[in-house]
Amino acid sequence: MRVTEIRMKVNGSVESLDVEPWVSLLDALRERLGLTGPKKGCDQGACGACTVLADGVRINACLALAVQYDGREITTIEGVAHPLQEAFVRHDGFQCGYCTPGQICSAIGMLAEYESGMPSAVPESRGLDEAQIRERMSGNLCRCGAYNGIVDAIKEVSG
């Protein structure tokens, strides 16, 4: 069995891990580092519960191999301090809370994408409006249906 040592900065702390080449970033974060914020939902990249930020860019950690992120900076919900967290509470942007860490990390990444000028499938008419937010967040599912609160929280923080 081939094991590779990788070093990542995770939530501000440099971590060294010995991982097999097939270990996902999600499994490395959860099982090796004990970070339970990123969730294993579908384990196929379809739900977004595992969303983390890699060098500030949102990714599905279940689809990423840990070895690909050697030398990179990873931020999970445990390392986030962002106004979105309080906005989610104010707007009831969570219900059971399972998807909330991924939703918040995805929203942070989405706001950075928008601010950098990354286009979306929805034509921009009035800036980051509800249609833009819904399209840009479409890779994150909420089984409880808290979408209206999630959109309102993002609108509050972006506006």
Side-chain angles (χ1 to χ4, degrees):
M1 178 167 55
R2 199 171 122 231
V3 175
T4 303
E5 180 182 4
I6 62 171
R7 293 173 56 86
M8 296 182 287
K9 190 174 201 178
V10 180
N11 298 330
S13 177
V14 176
E15 303 286 349
S16 291
L17 298 168
D18 292 327
V19 296
E20 296 81 4
W22 56 82
V23 172
S24 72
L25 179 59
L26 177 61
D27 287 342
L29 293 169
R30 289 183 60 82
E31 297 170 11
R32 314 268 172 108
L33 297 178
L35 297 169
T36 58
K39 302 293 190 268
K40 190 174 276 199
C42 67
D43 210 21
Q44 298 175 0
C47 74
C50 65
T51 305
V52 299
L53 301 169
D55 297 327
V57 176
R58 60 184 171 161
I59 64 164
N60 289 333
C62 73
L63 295 180
L65 296 174
V67 295
Q68 294 175 284
Y69 291 87
D70 185 25
R72 309 272 300 273
E73 186 167 351
I74 305 298
T75 305
T76 69
I77 193 66
E78 290 92 344
V80 168
H82 195 280
L84 268 169
Q85 292 161 298
E86 291 180 10
F88 263 63
V89 172
R90 276 192 299 280
H91 294 280
D92 197 23
F94 62 93
Q95 287 182 20
C96 79
Y98 193 83
C99 72
T100 305
Q103 294 277 2
I104 290 173
C105 285
S106 186
I108 291 168
M110 181 272 295
L111 289 170
E113 291 166 7
Y114 176 77
E115 290 168 12
S116 74
M118 186 176 286
S120 126
V122 172
E124 188 173 335
S125 59
R126 301 176 306 277
L128 193 59
D129 61 11
E130 182 174 332
Q132 281 275 326
I133 292 169
R134 287 184 184 279
E135 188 278 325
R136 290 174 183 267
M137 290 293 292
S138 63
N140 289 78
L141 302 178
C142 173
R143 287 169 178 84
C144 299
Y147 295 113
N148 292 336
I150 292 167
V151 170
D152 289 346
I154 294 170
K155 281 190 334 194
E156 176 189 314
V157 170
S158 68

